[in-house]
Every structure is written in structure tokens, then in C-alpha cells.
Amino acid sequence: MRPPEKVGRMKFVKAVALSIFVASLAAFAAAQSGGELRFCLRSEPKTFDPLKVEDDASVAIRYLTGGVLVRMNRQTQVLEPELAQSWKVSKDGKQITFKLRSGISFSDGTPFSAEDVAYTVQQLMDPNLHSPTGDAFRSGPGNVETKIISPTQISITFPAPVAGLDRQFDQVAILSAHSPKKEMAVLGPFMVADYQPGSTVLLKRNPNYWKRDAQGRQLPYLDSIRLDIQPNRDVELLRFKRGEIDLINSLDSEYFDKLGAASPQLVHDAGPSLDSEQMWFDQVSKAPIASYKKTWFRSPAFRRAISQAINRDDLSRIVFRGHAQPAIGPVSSANKFWFNAKLKPQTYSPDSALKALQSEGFRLENGTLKDKDGNAVEFSLITNAGNKYRERMAAMIQDDLQKIGVRVNVVTLDFPSLIERMTQTFDYEAILLGLTNVGLDPNEQMNVWLSSSENHQWNPQEKAPETAWEAEIDQLMRAQASSADPRKRKEAFDQVQEIVVEQAPFIYLVNRNALSAVAASVHGASPVILAPQTYWNIESLSVH
Amino acid sequence: MNETPQAGVLLSMRLSVRYGDRPDVLRDVQVNIRRGEVLGLVGQSGSGKSTLAMAVLGLLDRKQASAEGSIVCEGRDLLRLREKEFRALRGRKLALVLQSPLSALNPALKIRTQLKEAWRAHASGTPADCNNAVRLALESVTLPSTDDFLRKYPSQMSVGQAQRVLIAMAVMHRPALLIADEATSALDIITQAEILTLFRQLNRSTGMAILYISHDLASVGGICDRIAILHQGQIVELGTTEQVLTTPQHEYTRRLMAAMPKIPQPQISPQEKTEAAAAK
Amino acid sequence: MRSWHGRVWRRVASIVLLLVVGVSLSANWLAPEGYARQYREAASAPPSRQHWLGTDEIGRDRLARVLYGTRISLLLAPAAALLSTLMAALIGGLAGYLGGAWARVAMAVTDLFLSLPWLFLLITVRAMMPLNVSPMISVLVTFLLLGLLGWTTASRVLCATAGSLRNADFVQQARASGVPDARLFWVHVVPNLKPVLYAQFWISIPAFILSEANLGILGLGVTEPTPSWGSLLRELEGVISIGEEPWKFVPLVLLVIVVTSFQLVLSDQEQVAA
């Protein structure tokens, strides 16, 4: 320290030194508990406006910066209060009332109240904004009404019942009605501090974040998050190995094994995820394919037999190196509430598949399966080019079906051509693709199961259900959507799952496991199967 | 300068040639070539000698050159012939020997192939017929017809040998007219003399006429029966070798004479000339 | 003529080539189980007594795939190279030889071909192809396509070379001998284009083998389960270091050896032609 030259100033100097010391002590403590977390975004974020979010990178930033009324706990899959202390959905499913927390401010200091919620909802539902998040709320024509009951209470009424209304608010980051910083004023744990297009997004902790840990310490622990924009997964892995980034959110099974071989404590297999790999036959009546093939594809017995002849265990074990589970039905067993536990795993049995086919008039001649008119059973299976897992699955399915005399021609197509065939021309026989499931609730799959829907992939936009079982699915899906009773809904959706397994319009193959990597320096991480797998509990992560 | 058509005339031309819009390269050139004679065509570079040769062979670039007049050969006007008819004459009635033997032979082909190609252009028959023709042609230019020799590429021969191969190709079908365009200019003096002798012998033994084109009055003097002097696209003098060399009429001819190097040339004796005439 | 060194290398290269061809032709005997058999209990296995080069990701014997893949690529890549070379000779050479408007039109077509967005074109071609195509047909179509498209660069060079030959003395001399035009071109002009043609041919082989691998990524190449060098090379995608699984590099090493040998064997003829 400097020598006391002038006694008169000593006290002052001491006082200054002390305050500097205290300040640096506080900073030290913060540094110890906080630090900077680094990971990669796989694409450029398209927007920082939470209402316009559509792409994965923007979803990630919204998760880290946006404050929401309710949040679905990614681990327990239960909806939890956030900015709303409590909420209530009306019986008709049209109205939701929130009781808000008080004394909360946005990152720029603007106080938060029911007005902000009303403003956000109005913006969200503004038809001119075309908010993708808002689409989930648009269940019928008419305007949404917001009623501010008090600064901490608000009710929102939609013109028609919205399926799973409360859960939908997990995606709605509240905007400030008054802040001059517009959408850059946030209620979440972090705020965007710097953005270098093509390179990095830097997030800093929100000094006004409302949440505290059990010890009463303000969250989040981290000081900042550096998001590097890096589309190349090889580079991402390499940077992780070098210690330049701390997390990898979804790892390839091949990389998982490579990384795990060297340092098993860094990789996490959280078990089967919601994502499924599936194949289906073209059942579109106007599809430009041979009519005898259409007859096969529209036969449930044929579809079931094909399903039975595919060795799902081998697909999981070999293609995904054990980091996948044979799929049981349309809902992954990872979906704790909605999965129909009565469904049994699909059995692999080429013999019974062949028997079933023979009872349908098919016969095996010199190793080639023929239908009753003598047509050799042969179909093309298309998948997207460049996805080695799907290419390998296709090669294995080809080999499996060879055993029951079915010839499969594997065709890999670029994605746009595949989508064109799948949705426009219907010029295909069978497709092998994956389906990424984000939501847990069956309402989010309405567009897949309703026979009138565009995404009813095996036969989209049916004017009226073409089969009895499709009609039944339509009816059950509508019934569950219009009910607010979770038990009744579950019952209906369980039935849907049983029908889908029985009729096999989609032949579900495997559910990939959620694989991630977390650096040893990251504390508090506990990866889960739901996105964002590694940083869902971002508030309680720290790096040292 | 004008010659009246007469008996024994092989080819009678009256020719103007122009390239594009530029002035005429040949202006109303009138020459008769008699059967069995050796006619020298002398002029400096650019005087139009090669154009005349190409016109007779129908090898003027038709898109760029326009020829007027007529070249009458055996009752047919060559300028009016269709390409297919002309092709039948080239190599059979009319033959060409170019200046530089090494570039006039295809570097990528063996001698045998080139000779065979020349034969096949106008003859058909068994491989034995072909081999026989090739052998005869080579013998006529005093070249060996061994397999070893036939397997050679042009780059593996001397210039003199190459020139003989070219001549062998040209005389293979016993043409009525052989056009030698600067055929000896690229040769050293000794080889030149040999080739000139060869020309003279072929002329005598087969009776083919030779249009011997050269810039070198001296070499022309040694072989030709008659000489035509071409100057700026026109024939300025035409007469027997003796006339032209001893009593040049035109100013330009006199200048050419004056420029002649005074070195000994293989002179053909008057006796030989009479023998040649008798052969006709 | 040739140096002693050259001769030895040439002999070594020919022996290597004969060996590779011979071994690949005896694939049926060396790998009787075939290239498609999936040993699912031994997927991604390292070399063993049963699988000399280990197995691939879904348990297929790598040696069998290399042998059969060699047979396919070694037969078809040179065939495609020959096709593209002939097309280059015909289009570029003939245009250059004929000159004038012909040359201008041919070069315009060549430029057009060079400037086409191939990626999209190939994708379109794939989209138009029927889906139920047997793997063998897909192999043939792929290489046919490569052969039909690979002529452009060489065509430019050939056009210029042939253009300079058009008025060469020896062509004029042959013309004066009454050689017909078509024969003039094939017998007198084309042999003089040999160095360029040889170069085109030898460059095309490895280029086509690699292109076939790339086409596979577009969904255009050889389809499952048929192996080709291209699909074998794709296995190397994402392999981070040679040290970990060196046996995976066998197809690459083989490609390098074969292409080098081809070049050594034919460099001799090329020089005579030059």
C-alpha cells in the first residue's frame, strides 16, 4: 500500500481502499459462482423478437432471455409457475386467468405488470405480425380479449377453445409495453449484450432478474453466455475437445462413442427422446404408382407384416450403437404422461410376417414374394441423402425384408425433392424419415392425425376419412382436444396410439436417445431429453 | 503473253484470285501447261505463286478467297467442279509436293500409314495390293521399302528421305500434273540437287507434267522446259528456259537474273532434254 | 528411348494393375459371402481373421466391399473416361478442325455446359429418374452421366489444338492427296490430339471415381447395397485421424495406387504420341 504521507488523508484513503476491497471481494465471489458459459448455435439466429421466433437458434436465445408466465419443467415434464404465481383455465378452454408476481422489473428497469402481458398477447395475436408462436393460439375466427383485472391479475379470452392452453404460454416471452428498448428489454435470466453476425451472440446476466436460489442469492449464477455460430458439427466437436466450448446439446451417436471412449464423464445419454424414426407407405389414392402396389400399401396386413419383418433391435444396436430404443408406437416412452404403457414392444418375426402375408394370398417363389396376381413384391424406399444413419437403416431394412422375399430399392434424394414427392406429387412408394417432436401434448400432433390435415403424411388432406380407422382417429383426436379433463384426454389418446400401432400407417422404428456433452468445468448440469437438453436449468449452472 | 490453246495442252488457265476486299492476288493470269513438260513458275514471296498452286488443286479457302476465270483440264473447268468431283482428281490427276517435308508429313503417323492413306484415297484392294503400291512408289523415289523403314516416324528420317517419301506419295497414282511448291527450297544444296534430278527422272519416266514453283531462278533453270515469271500477281514473262535465261524481256526478269547466285548448278545437258522430249 | 528406371517402373505398375484387376475379378472366390451380407454381431469391427479389413458400420465385410467395389469402379470409371474423351475429341476436335462458325458454335455450347449449375441439373435428373431402379442400373447411369458431362474442359483445349492443325502443312498435303474429309480428321488430325486426349483420359478416371462419391451425397450415385470406390471413400467422412482406424483407408490407398499405376503404364505411349 502507499505510505501514509499525509495523516489528514489517511482515513479517506483507508475508506476508499476498504470499499475497493469489499467491491472486489463481491466481484470475486460472483466470479467464482458465475463465469462464462460457451456453446454453439448451429445457425444464425433469424430474430431477437421472441414473437417472431421460428428457427432453433432464435428459440435458444428466447429460452435464455425471455421471461415467461409459466414454464414446463424439462425434467419433470410438469408445468411450473414463473412470472405467474398461479393460473386457471376455464372449463370451456377459452379463457385463462393469471395471477402475476409483483415487484419485478425488465432488464432495463421498466416495471412489469399485467399491462405488459396484455400488450404481449395482443401483439402475439396481431394477424399482421404473423407470429409462428401465435399460430398455436389461433383456434378459430375472432379476436382475443385481454382483461386487466388488477396490475397483478389478467384474464385472456380466446374466441375458441385452445388445446393445452396453459402449456402454450411456455413459448410466450413477455414483452414490455412501455420500455423504449422494445423487445431488447427482457424478463429472463440473460439479455443480449452483443451480436456479431455470423460469429457470436454474447448474453450478459440480467441484473434485474427476479429469481433467487434457496440461499436467497440472485440468479443466474453465470455472468455471461457466449454463443458461437457454428453450423459444422465436426468443428463443434473439435472445439469441445479443445475446451473452447462447454456444452454440446445433441450429439451424434458416433461422436458420442468417440468422445465417451476418451472421457466417459463428459458425455450424457439421457435415454430415449421424443424423436422417432419411421417409415410409411404411400396410400394416396391419386398417387402415380402402379395400382397393384397401392393395393399392398393400403392393406393393413401388408403394412403390419413389413413392420414385423424389420429388426428394430438391430437398428438401435447397430445404426445408433445402442443409443436408441426400438419404437413401440407413435408416442415415445419418454413422454411420461401421454405414452400408452399398455402397448407392447413390436416383435420381430419374419416367420409370422411371412405367414400373415401368405394368408393374404402372397406366396414365396424362389426367394421372391409374389402377390396373388403374380406381381413380385418390390418397392422403393426413399430417404434424404447425406444422412448416414438413415442410409444405414435403409440398408438394414433392405436386408431384413430380403428375408421375406421383398425387394427394396433404396433411393436417397436431396431434401427438397423428397419433400416435393411427399407433399406435392405423391410419386413415391415408401419413405423413411425422422420426426422431431417438440411438444408433449397430443394437441400438438393434431395436424398429423386428422385425416383432413396436410401433414397426415400417408394420405394427406382426405376430403372425408377414407377408412374406418382414420375416421375413428379423427373422432378421438377431436374428443381429446375439446376436453379439459386430463384423464379423458389420456384415454382417448391411448386409443389413438393403439389404432396407429394396429393399422401401421406409420411404421415406427426407433426413438433416438438424447445425447449430450458437458465439460467438467460446468456445475449444476443435468441433461434431459427435452430441448434445451443441457441448459434447461440455465439459472443454476455455473462454470469454474 | 497470251497463248492460244493448242494440242498437247494439259491444263489451260485464265485466273484471277482475290482475298476478301483486298486487291487481286492473281490478275488475269493465263498459262497453259503442256503434257509432259516441266513448267517453272518463278516469283518472289507474295507474288501469288502458292495461291496459283492451291487454286489448281481446289484448295483455296472458299470462304475467304474468290477465284474468277477458268482452269480447264481435260475438257473440264476445275473452278466449276463440285468438291466431291475435285477430290477424285486430287492425288490422282493432280498431285502436290510441299516445301518443308518435315511439316508436310504427319508427325504422329508412321510412314507406312501415310503412304497407305494416300493409296487408299483413290484405290481399293487387298492389303497386298496396297503393300505392293507402297513398295513401287518408294522404289520410284529410290527409297528402301523395308519394314524397318516403313515403321519410322517422320522425325526419325533425314530431310531428304522425308522429301522423297512425300514425292512417293504424290506420284503413287501416276498423276498427270505434279505441282511442286517450293519443293526444294528447304533442302541443302546437295539434297536439292538430288531431288531435282529425281523430279527430272520421274518426269521422263512417267511423262507427268510438273509445275515447278520456286523463288529461285537458278534451280528452276536446271530442270524446266519453260519458265513463267510471276510478278505482283501477273505473268510478266513466259518462254522457253533458254529464251528467258538468255534474253529476258521484262525488267523484273532481268533483276531476278542479276540476283542469281553465281554458284555451280547441276545442269542438265541438252542431250537429256531431247531425250525427255522424245519420251513425250 | 525409355530410361532403365522408366521401364522398371512401368513393369511394376503393370504388375500392380494386373494384380488389382485379377484380385477384383476373383472377388466371388475370395469373398464368397458377397458384399451385402450383414454380420450384425460384428458391426464396425476391426480387422480379424474372419474379416481381414474389418467390417463397416452395419457389419458388412470391408474386404468383400473393396473387392467388388474395385471391380465396378475399375471397369466403369475408365469406360466413362473413354466416353468423355471421345466426346471431347469429337466435339472440340471436330469443331476446331472445321473452324469458323462450327468452332464458334461448339465453343458456345461448351461454355454453356461449363456454366450450367450442375448441382441443380443433376438433382433434376435424379428427380426425373424412376425410383425403382436396380443398383446395377444406377451404377451404369451414374457413370454414363459422368461420361456424358465430363468432356467440356478438354473440348476447349482440343478445339484450339485442332484449329491450329487445320491449316498445317501435313493436313494440306493429305488433302491434296485426295483424302476425304472424315478420314482426314480421324486419321490425320486426331492422332495429333493424342497428348491432350491421353491427359483427359487419365485425369478423368480419378475425377470420375471421386465425382461418383460426391453424387452419392446428392442421392445420385451407386445405390445400396452395391459398393463402389465412391461409397467406400464416403466412409472416411468424419474420420478424424488416420491413427484410430487405419484399415478404413485401404480404399483410398488403393485408389491412389491404381491411378498412379495407370499413369505410369501409359506415360510411355503418351510420349510417343506427343
Side-chain angles (χ1 to χ4, degrees):
Chain A
M1 290 252 115
R2 68 161 63 174
E5 290 161 330
K6 290 175 184 171
V7 182
R9 291 177 79 175
M10 264 301 286
K11 267 190 181 163
F12 173 73
V13 169
K14 257 189 182 167
V16 170
L18 191 72
S19 64
I20 289 173
F21 177 66
V22 170
S24 60
L25 196 70
F28 178 66
Q32 204 190 21
S33 66
E36 182 173 75
L37 184 75
R38 301 149 307 169
F39 60 94
C40 290
L41 293 176
R42 281 165 185 169
S43 63
E44 190 85 20
K46 300 262 184 319
T47 177
F48 290 129
D49 182 342
L51 301 184
K52 291 186 188 154
V53 164
E54 208 163 10
D55 56 299
D56 288 347
S58 300
V59 166
I61 288 168
R62 183 179 69 186
Y63 190 87
L64 296 167
T65 62
V68 292
L69 296 170
V70 292
R71 173 128 281 164
M72 208 254 306
N73 183 312
R74 298 321 201 236
Q75 194 163 40
T76 59
Q77 301 181 5
V78 170
L79 206 58
E80 291 174 350
E82 284 276 308
L83 294 169
Q85 273 176 316
S86 63
W87 66 94
K88 195 169 183 293
V89 180
S90 70
K91 273 215 167 126
D92 61 5
K94 286 187 188 172
Q95 194 187 53
I96 186 164
T97 310
F98 289 104
K99 170 91 178 68
L100 307 177
R101 288 177 206 275
S102 55
I104 294 175
S105 313
F106 282 90
S107 55
D108 68 338
T110 316
F112 160 71
S113 76
E115 259 186 86
D116 300 311
V117 177
Y119 170 76
T120 305
V121 171
Q122 291 301 343
Q123 288 285 304
L124 181 73
M125 301 311 290
D126 185 348
N128 297 323
L129 190 73
H130 298 297
S131 165
T133 315
D135 287 342
F137 292 92
R138 269 184 267 274
S139 50
N143 289 329
V144 66
E145 275 172 42
T146 50
K147 194 170 143 211
I148 300 172
I149 301 162
S150 78
T152 59
Q153 216 168 357
I154 182 169
S155 76
I156 305 160
T157 313
F158 293 89
V162 175
L165 180 54
D166 48 359
R167 285 176 173 267
Q168 306 283 8
F169 279 91
D170 178 80
Q171 310 284 315
V172 182
I174 303 302
L175 297 174
S176 170
H178 301 296
S179 169
K181 298 183 80 175
K182 301 256 173 88
E183 74 264 13
M184 300 312 275
V186 295
L187 288 164
F190 294 91
M191 55 190 192
V192 176
D194 187 31
Y195 171 43
Q196 303 290 334
S199 153
T200 49
V201 181
L202 184 66
L203 306 180
K204 285 257 195 295
R205 72 198 300 268
N206 173 0
N208 297 327
Y209 190 56
W210 60 276
K211 220 186 270 184
R212 281 162 198 283
D213 67 6
Q215 284 75 46
R217 218 163 61 179
Q218 194 191 5
L219 294 174
Y221 296 137
L222 291 167
D223 291 320
S224 57
I225 302 175
R226 174 179 292 277
L227 303 169
D228 289 337
I229 297 159
Q230 176 53 262
N232 186 321
R233 301 212 163 185
D234 294 335
V235 176
E236 188 182 22
L237 185 72
L238 208 64
R239 296 192 61 192
F240 181 85
K241 278 184 164 173
R242 283 203 217 122
E244 291 170 8
I245 56 169
D246 304 312
L247 303 176
I248 299 179
N249 238 344
S250 58
L251 258 184
D252 221 77
S253 51
E254 212 171 311
Y255 290 166
F256 182 94
D257 278 6
K258 273 200 185 116
L259 202 56
S263 28
Q265 73 283 1
L266 299 183
V267 292
H268 298 266
D269 182 342
S273 68
L274 300 181
D275 298 349
S276 59
E277 297 289 331
Q278 62 211 52
M279 70 173 269
W280 69 91
F281 290 105
D282 187 357
Q283 294 190 47
V284 178
S285 41
K286 61 173 189 235
I289 52 177
S291 62
Y292 65 89
K293 288 193 176 183
K294 259 183 238 175
T295 314
W296 310 335
F297 300 159
R298 293 175 79 112
S299 147
F302 176 81
R303 297 194 298 263
R304 269 196 303 271
I306 296 293
S307 172
Q308 213 171 16
I310 295 173
N311 189 336
R312 291 174 172 78
D313 283 327
D314 278 0
L315 293 182
S316 315
R317 186 172 58 84
I318 294 168
V319 177
F320 296 96
R321 296 161 176 256
H323 302 297
Q325 305 298 319
I328 296 172
V331 176
S332 165
S333 61
N335 192 340
K336 292 175 184 167
F337 182 76
W338 293 105
F339 170 66
N340 182 349
K342 280 179 297 199
L343 290 173
K344 302 234 161 37
Q346 309 252 2
T347 49
Y348 163 64
S349 170
D351 293 340
S352 34
L354 201 55
K355 262 186 211 127
L357 285 167
Q358 276 159 348
S359 67
E360 288 287 305
F362 289 88
R363 60 189 191 279
L364 201 58
E365 267 177 28
N366 306 324
T368 301
L369 190 70
K370 298 210 167 147
D371 68 8
K372 51 178 179 284
D373 300 324
N375 299 304
V377 179
E378 173 183 4
F379 63 84
S380 60
L381 178 63
I382 60 180
T383 191
N384 56 319
N387 183 320
K388 49 186 170 186
Y389 296 102
R390 292 210 181 110
E391 285 171 20
R392 285 171 198 158
M393 277 202 287
M396 291 187 73
I397 291 170
Q398 186 180 47
D399 198 51
D400 282 341
L401 296 184
Q402 183 79 55
K403 292 185 186 117
I404 57 165
V406 174
R407 194 164 125 177
V408 178
N409 295 309
V410 176
V411 179
T412 53
L413 289 180
D414 64 296
F415 214 77
S417 315
L418 190 154
I419 296 298
E420 197 196 345
R421 283 176 187 269
M422 175 171 128
T423 61
Q424 309 285 319
T425 64
F426 308 115
D427 184 7
Y428 72 92
E429 290 168 359
I431 290 182
L432 170 66
L433 265 191
L435 198 73
T436 309
N437 254 321
V438 202
L440 297 167
D441 197 282
N443 282 322
E444 295 180 31
Q445 298 178 16
M446 287 298 262
N447 58 353
V448 176
W449 300 118
L450 291 186
S451 60
S452 57
S453 160
E454 268 180 69
N455 294 330
H456 189 254
Q457 259 12 302
W458 67 87
N459 191 3
Q461 288 177 299
E462 294 175 28
K463 295 224 166 55
E466 288 181 15
T467 62
W469 57 270
E470 283 174 295
E472 202 180 347
I473 291 178
D474 281 359
Q475 182 256 318
L476 287 164
M477 285 308 288
R478 289 213 176 88
Q480 70 79 26
S482 60
S483 169
D485 179 356
R487 263 190 36 244
K488 278 188 181 157
R489 292 187 62 203
K490 169 95 167 102
E491 235 167 71
F493 194 54
D494 275 356
Q495 251 181 293
V496 170
Q497 294 175 53
E498 284 159 25
I499 296 171
V500 171
V501 170
E502 171 69 17
Q503 299 295 334
F506 285 137
I507 295 173
Y508 290 91
L509 302 168
V510 296
N511 295 114
R512 275 176 290 148
N513 288 6
L515 308 176
S516 55
V518 179
S521 56
V522 178
H523 289 246
S526 118
V528 295
I529 59 141
L530 295 181
Q533 295 84 344
T534 49
Y535 59 89
W536 65 277
N537 55 344
I538 187 71
E539 297 160 337
S540 39
L541 296 187
S542 60
V543 176
H544 22 113
Chain B
M1 234 40 62
N2 285 350
E3 277 188 299
T4 46
Q6 57 188 95
V9 169
L10 172 67
L11 184 139
S12 154
M13 74 168 86
R14 181 178 184 142
L15 188 64
S16 297
V17 176
R18 183 187 320 124
Y19 289 104
D21 300 332
R22 279 167 291 176
D24 290 6
V25 179
L26 294 178
R27 270 180 290 165
D28 197 28
V29 170
Q30 297 184 24
V31 185
N32 288 343
I33 300 171
R34 298 175 193 154
R35 288 184 189 279
E37 79 166 336
V38 181
L39 173 66
L41 182 66
V42 182
Q44 66 198 64
S45 353
S47 59
K49 303 174 306 231
S50 289
T51 300
L52 189 142
M54 290 300 134
V56 172
L57 285 161
L59 292 177
L60 286 175
D61 191 332
R62 292 188 176 191
K63 281 158 227 148
Q64 285 165 25
S66 58
E68 282 164 30
S70 61
I71 304 173
V72 179
C73 175
E74 299 184 337
R76 286 197 289 180
D77 183 358
L78 300 185
L79 287 183
R80 310 270 176 298
L81 284 186
R82 273 174 300 160
E83 174 58 25
K84 203 179 161 192
E85 298 168 315
F86 219 135
R87 196 180 64 68
L89 293 183
R90 278 187 222 125
R92 197 166 57 83
K93 276 262 178 270
L94 312 166
L96 174 73
V97 175
L98 279 174
Q99 174 176 18
S100 164
L102 289 181
S103 66
L105 285 172
N106 193 330
L109 298 180
K110 290 173 186 156
I111 296 308
R112 185 205 302 273
T113 317
Q114 309 203 28
L115 286 162
K116 278 184 176 174
E117 280 300 312
W119 181 76
R120 190 177 295 180
H122 297 291
S124 56
T126 60
D129 295 341
C130 180
N131 286 338
N132 202 35
V134 166
R135 190 178 50 77
L136 283 174
L138 285 175
E139 276 169 8
S140 71
V141 295
T142 61
L143 278 176
S145 54
T146 57
D147 267 2
D148 238 18
F149 183 78
L150 285 167
R151 256 205 301 274
K152 285 187 178 185
Y153 284 95
S155 56
Q156 297 164 330
M157 293 186 304
S158 73
V159 187
Q161 281 177 319
Q163 187 65 293
R164 280 164 196 268
V165 171
L166 265 185
I167 295 169
M169 279 167 65
V171 302
M172 188 172 263
H173 297 288
R174 307 242 162 188
L177 174 65
L178 176 74
I179 300 173
D181 187 2
E182 301 278 11
T184 56
S185 312
L187 308 178
D188 64 88
I189 224 91
I190 308 220
T191 318
Q192 201 176 32
E194 284 169 12
I195 297 294
L196 281 174
T197 312
L198 176 63
F199 273 136
R200 193 68 208 172
Q201 278 168 0
L202 287 168
N203 167 252
R204 275 188 320 185
S205 58
T206 67
M208 70 179 178
I210 297 178
L211 176 62
Y212 188 87
I213 299 174
S214 177
H215 64 279
D216 178 12
L217 193 53
S219 69
V220 174
I223 170 175
C224 295
D225 302 314
R226 294 192 303 150
I227 294 179
I229 309 285
L230 191 63
H231 180 52
Q232 292 179 342
Q234 284 178 302
I235 301 285
V236 293
E237 186 151 358
L238 177 61
T240 62
T241 305
E242 241 177 272
Q243 276 172 3
V244 174
L245 290 185
T246 52
T247 54
Q249 299 296 305
H250 196 269
E251 161 65 22
Y252 179 70
T253 317
R254 281 198 282 271
R255 276 189 8 235
L256 276 180
M257 299 274 298
M260 260 171 70
K262 302 289 183 248
I263 46 169
Q265 290 291 322
Q267 292 293 325
I268 291 152
S269 67
Q271 190 197 353
E272 275 177 315
K273 276 189 185 172
T274 34
E275 276 171 19
K280 297 167 210 166
Chain C
M1 273 176 56
R2 311 285 309 143
S3 71
W4 178 83
H5 253 50
R7 276 210 303 279
V8 168
W9 274 116
R10 219 154 56 83
R11 190 154 302 168
V12 169
S14 341
I15 291 169
V16 166
L17 278 182
L18 281 176
L19 214 66
V20 170
V21 170
V23 167
S24 74
L25 286 179
S26 53
N28 300 39
W29 178 75
L30 285 168
E33 294 289 351
Y35 54 81
R37 167 85 186 267
Q38 298 175 0
Y39 297 88
R40 295 194 176 175
E41 298 315 309
S44 302
S48 62
R49 188 172 295 182
Q50 201 195 348
H51 306 292
W52 291 2
L53 292 178
T55 58
D56 72 0
E57 295 289 338
I58 54 176
R60 296 178 293 203
D61 184 70
R62 187 172 284 109
L63 177 66
R65 293 185 70 72
V66 168
L67 291 177
Y68 282 95
T70 303
R71 188 193 277 188
I72 285 167
S73 295
L74 213 51
L75 190 72
L76 290 177
L82 189 67
L83 178 64
S84 80
T85 307
L86 285 178
M87 285 189 65
L90 200 67
I91 294 169
L94 199 57
Y97 170 67
L98 292 174
W102 287 102
R104 281 196 297 277
V105 169
M107 283 308 100
V109 170
T110 306
D111 284 342
L112 184 74
F113 256 70
L114 279 170
S115 64
L116 281 178
W118 282 116
L119 198 68
F120 295 103
L121 217 69
L122 288 171
I123 287 173
T124 316
V125 168
R126 183 63 190 96
M128 288 187 317
M129 256 169 70
L131 293 176
N132 273 307
V133 166
S134 79
M136 266 307 142
I137 301 281
S138 80
V139 174
L140 289 175
V141 168
T142 305
F143 280 100
L144 185 69
L145 215 58
L146 288 172
L148 287 177
L149 300 180
W151 53 269
T152 45
T153 326
S155 161
R156 291 206 129 264
V157 183
L158 286 168
C159 185
T161 317
S164 69
L165 292 177
R166 176 158 50 110
N167 291 317
D169 279 356
F170 65 85
V171 174
Q172 201 69 294
Q173 182 72 59
R175 210 175 268 144
S177 306
V179 177
D181 265 332
R183 206 160 172 85
L184 207 54
F185 176 67
W186 277 114
V187 179
H188 290 268
V189 175
V190 170
N192 285 284
L193 302 176
K194 261 189 194 165
V196 187
L197 293 173
Y198 271 116
Q200 158 75 3
F201 183 71
W202 296 116
I203 290 166
S204 296
I205 292 176
F208 285 171
I209 287 169
L210 293 176
S211 302
E212 187 260 314
N214 289 329
L215 286 179
I217 297 169
L218 290 181
L220 247 180
V222 175
T223 58
E224 293 285 358
T226 312
S228 69
W229 278 357
S231 62
L232 292 166
L233 289 175
R234 278 184 67 201
E235 254 203 313
L236 296 177
E237 271 179 330
V239 171
I240 293 168
S241 70
I242 301 178
E244 286 175 37
E245 292 158 324
W247 55 89
K248 282 193 176 177
F249 287 82
V250 166
L252 182 65
V253 172
L254 196 62
L255 171 69
V256 171
I257 290 176
V258 165
V259 170
T260 316
S261 304
F262 262 130
Q263 254 148 3
L264 283 172
V265 169
L266 282 119
S267 60
D268 187 56
Q269 303 195 9
E270 199 176 316
Q271 282 179 11
V272 168

